Amino acid sequence: MPEGDTIFRTARNLGRALVGRPVTAFRSTFPWLMRFNDDTPVAGQTVESVEARGKWLLIYFSGGGILTSHLLMNGRWHIYRRGERWQLARIHMRIVIENEEYQAVGFRVPVARMHTQQSLDRDLRVAVPENDLLRVEFNAVAALDRLTARGDESVADALLDQSTLAGVGNVFKSEICFVNGLNPFRTVESLTRDEAAATIASAQKLLRANVLEDSGDMIVTYRGQQRRTTRASNPSESLWVYGRAGEPCRRCGETIRRRIQGADARVTFWCPRCQPMPNGADVEGT
Ligand SMILES: [Zn+2]
């Protein structure tokens, strides 16, 4: 699943290709988007801005429409120069926005809707900017209250809840717990307020480091001895624990564990020595 940093970079790239330019063509395989387009043609309008909110991508048109899309597991937006060959088959196309220079193509986008500002404000699934770790509007104090309110939920599951902190996906979840020395199976209520605040601060720091101009598409939380300049073939080479079950912890050498966690059965990785349970209990894992 794309994490907040991926959506942020996608929004930045789409913004560069689309913002300020009149749309010359708009197509979609979603009937409700085409119905909207029949009533209010998107072609002729200008893209005013593109923004990321958590895992949602928002494209603002000058006519007042706001196209929201969520990429879930497999969706992605590509940008092509006019006439350039698509990298994915046409059958996966869901939305195309064209201008004189570029084609933005949403492939396998599973969720998309055309909102007005009012309907967007009412849509509780789309994160508000104050909850988004990557936005300047992010309010860490309010986020701390939301996180600590999650009580007996596990830290890992609470981190994934997009209404608590928008932007953390499954890779960052394990990495954030490791960096803070927190066992991912601890309950939120077992954290001190300082621990919870530090968790939010490092979530923000790790996500932000992954949206810098020179950061690639790969999530990097661990850089080893020096900054990596070539693309690693194995994504877990740039991570502390995610994807590294059975391998030695980069800090202490203990074997990294893996376990399925939470109602959504998401995989979690951790080091039992660096991230002990407070009561010394052992959490089973492979
Ligand atoms: Zn360790």
Side-chain angles (χ1 to χ4, degrees):
M1 171 170 314
E3 310 220 10
D5 64 313
T6 306
I7 307 295
F8 187 94
R9 285 194 299 267
T10 300
R12 185 165 60 199
N13 293 337
L14 281 173
R16 284 175 184 157
L18 299 179
V19 168
R21 295 185 168 95
V23 175
T24 53
F26 178 86
R27 294 194 300 283
S28 177
T29 56
F30 292 115
W32 51 93
L33 292 187
M34 290 320 285
R35 272 201 300 277
F36 175 93
N37 189 55
D38 288 342
D39 293 342
T40 316
V42 175
Q45 299 186 35
T46 301
V47 173
E48 294 191 327
S49 62
V50 181
E51 67 172 64
R53 287 211 206 157
K55 296 178 182 177
W56 291 87
L57 195 69
L58 283 63
I59 301 176
Y60 289 77
F61 295 99
S62 55
I66 305 164
L67 177 64
T68 62
S69 61
H70 193 297
L71 305 183
L72 290 178
M73 302 299 269
N74 295 316
R76 60 202 55 199
W77 280 90
H78 286 182
I79 296 157
Y80 299 104
R81 296 239 169 223
R82 291 293 297 272
E84 197 181 338
R85 191 184 157 84
W86 292 0
Q87 289 170 26
L88 288 172
R90 191 156 291 269
I91 192 168
H92 301 304
M93 180 279 270
R94 300 291 177 272
I95 305 168
V96 178
I97 303 169
E98 286 182 17
N99 58 38
E100 289 288 350
E101 265 186 274
Y102 297 102
Q103 266 189 330
V105 188
F107 291 105
R108 299 195 194 104
V109 173
V111 182
R113 199 179 151 188
M114 195 66 87
H115 271 293
T116 62
Q117 187 64 55
Q118 287 97 323
S119 69
L120 178 65
D121 291 343
R122 285 196 304 266
D123 189 336
L124 297 177
R125 298 171 310 161
V126 179
V128 295
E130 296 76 44
N131 296 4
D132 186 334
L133 287 158
L134 288 169
R135 299 278 296 232
V136 290
E137 297 94 333
F138 179 68
N139 182 337
V141 176
L144 180 58
D145 289 339
R146 285 194 304 277
L147 180 64
T148 52
R150 301 198 74 87
D152 62 356
E153 195 171 357
S154 72
V155 174
D157 287 342
L159 283 173
L160 284 182
D161 182 84
Q162 298 296 302
S163 63
T164 303
L165 289 174
V168 177
N170 209 41
V171 176
F172 278 112
K173 172 194 87 176
S174 289
E175 299 295 296
I176 292 163
C177 287
F178 178 84
V179 166
N180 287 281
L182 294 180
N183 190 289
F185 297 89
R186 280 179 66 174
T187 58
V188 171
E189 64 199 357
S190 78
L191 305 185
T192 64
R193 200 160 169 89
D194 282 350
E195 282 176 326
T199 302
I200 291 170
S202 63
Q204 190 178 25
K205 188 172 158 213
L206 286 180
L207 260 82
R208 288 193 173 174
N210 279 276
V211 298
L212 299 176
E213 287 288 347
D214 62 349
S215 57
D217 290 339
M218 203 172 64
I219 294 176
V220 177
T221 60
Y222 168 78
R223 295 201 185 279
Q225 296 305 306
Q226 58 187 19
R227 194 181 166 89
R228 192 176 296 275
T229 50
T230 53
R231 182 175 295 240
S233 54
N234 178 359
S236 68
E237 281 177 25
S238 62
L239 299 172
W240 287 105
V241 290
Y242 187 92
R244 299 192 62 247
E247 293 179 47
C249 172
R250 300 190 190 282
R251 243 178 217 156
C252 76
E254 181 68 73
T255 303
I256 300 297
R257 292 192 191 174
R258 169 189 196 279
R259 184 174 169 179
I260 301 298
Q261 181 176 12
D264 292 336
R266 308 298 301 280
V267 63
T268 298
F269 297 87
W270 78 103
C271 168
R273 194 185 293 174
C274 292
Q275 300 164 266
M277 288 296 269
N279 55 8
D282 193 29
V283 179
E284 297 256 326
T286 55

